Amino acid sequence: MKLWEKGINPEPAIIEFTAGRDRKTDLHLTKWDIVGSMAHVIMLGDVGLISSDERNEMLKALHSLFVWDEKGSLVIEKDVEDIHSQIEKEMASILGTTGRKIHTGRSRNDQVLVDIRLYMREEIDNLAHQMQKLFSRLQSLSDQYREVLLPGYTHMQPAMPSSFGLWFGSYAECLADDLLVLSAARALNNRNPLGTAAGFGTTLPLNRKLTSELLEFDDLLYNSAYASLSRGKVEMAIASALASVAQTLGRFSMDICLYMTAEFRFIDFPDEYVTGSSIMPQKRNPDVFELIRGRSNVIQALPNEIAMLISNLPSGYNRDLQLLKQIVFDAFDDVKECMEIMLLMLNNIKVRRNITDNTLYNTIFSTEEVNRLVKQGIPFRDAYKAVADIVKNGPFSRTSVNDYVHEGSIGNLCNEEIASIFSERMKCFKNKSAGELADKMMGYVK
Ligand code: ARG
């Protein structure tokens, strides 16, 4: 069955190729297609394009499909192109003539747009909550190891005293900024394309504000032609946010791989959390972090992949856009899996104490020695030269680390301030689930 069948039997190879992976990918959209259809039906009733009896019957039928889907019984059949066609087919078979009214005033073009936006809204919100868990873990590690020193490196050379508090806390604040990027992508995503039909509106008197309210969008996407153009644009913004998170995960993983080497050994994990070699009995490898690093790098290519896909497309709907679904949906899964395993690892991380007692790190205290002289009134440049001399000709003896006081230094991490920035930024990630929206719409059955 093809929604666009007009008496000519389509060549099966063409159907298979054009449906592509949609029969599988679209299953991510099923519940959202149903919820979007419920809002559409309520609106059709409101503007008088269907009767209130028809609205009630259609809402009940859509709700029964929702329940089917939750039980896992709703599938896209072999001869059906996509989820939109399958839902329409189900509606026709449950309700006959009334069911066939479901597509009044819409196109699969705006239907898929609204489905994807609802799906991505939920994924974004779930991701934000996952980020919150990782953030909290990083902050509690930072608090727990606030006093444990670590040599800080620049140019991969020992530089100044750092601490596990500063290191863990730095990735927490990194996530706070990733969250801001994600919230911008969410705002871009959270506008309603439903009612723009094929990209040129319709002569039917739709009430687009009503569907926007029902689906809890912030506003409409107003210009119908822009709604088509926005496909890819919003995915690109989301991909940039995913890339930003991935970069944080990737760089943190690189630090961990480095800090786990025999030469550094700043941190470690229990034997159950590292991997071995088939030939070298001594190996304890950080494969988890290498894979997070690799997968994060691949995710960072996503904005570019999307740009390649959409850059030269003319305005209006083009089938190329279908390919966006798979790559973006997979990227959400990738980030999710990496975050999960990262959290598991951080729940088991072991930190080595007294690292900076090693004389190798003596000179990381030389800047402090310069500052000690500065506090006695010696000009910085003179103090720097005097200490440089001692460092070169020795012996340089370190002073203790106890006077880091300014915001963001090892003595004053400001974790509370960072936490309040994070929770402020979390406020926008508050989706209703598809089930909650469906229940709300059932309230319109009178
Ligand atoms: N599977 C299609 C997609 O994801 C649905 C829209 C089809 N529209 C069309 N004009 N062929 O883009």
Side-chain angles (χ1 to χ4, degrees), residues 31-32 35 66 122 431-439:
K31 62 184 180 180
W32 296 115
V35 166
F66 192 92
E122 183 173 60
N431 73 293
K432 274 208 181 76
S433 68
E436 287 167 326
L437 285 177
D439 289 346

Side-chain angles (χ1 to χ4, degrees), residues 22 26 82 84 108-109 112 231 317 319 321-322 325:
D22 264 17
D26 274 13
D82 51 32
H84 326 295
R108 280 184 298 167
N109 295 354
V112 70
R231 192 163 176 196
Y317 177 82
R319 195 68 181 263
L321 296 170
Q322 175 171 298
K325 286 184 292 197

Side-chain angles (χ1 to χ4, degrees), residues 193-213:
L194 190 59
T196 58
F200 310 97
T202 158
T203 52
L204 298 171
L206 307 183
N207 180 351
R208 298 194 53 219
K209 291 217 155 118
L210 178 57
T211 55
S212 301
E213 277 162 32

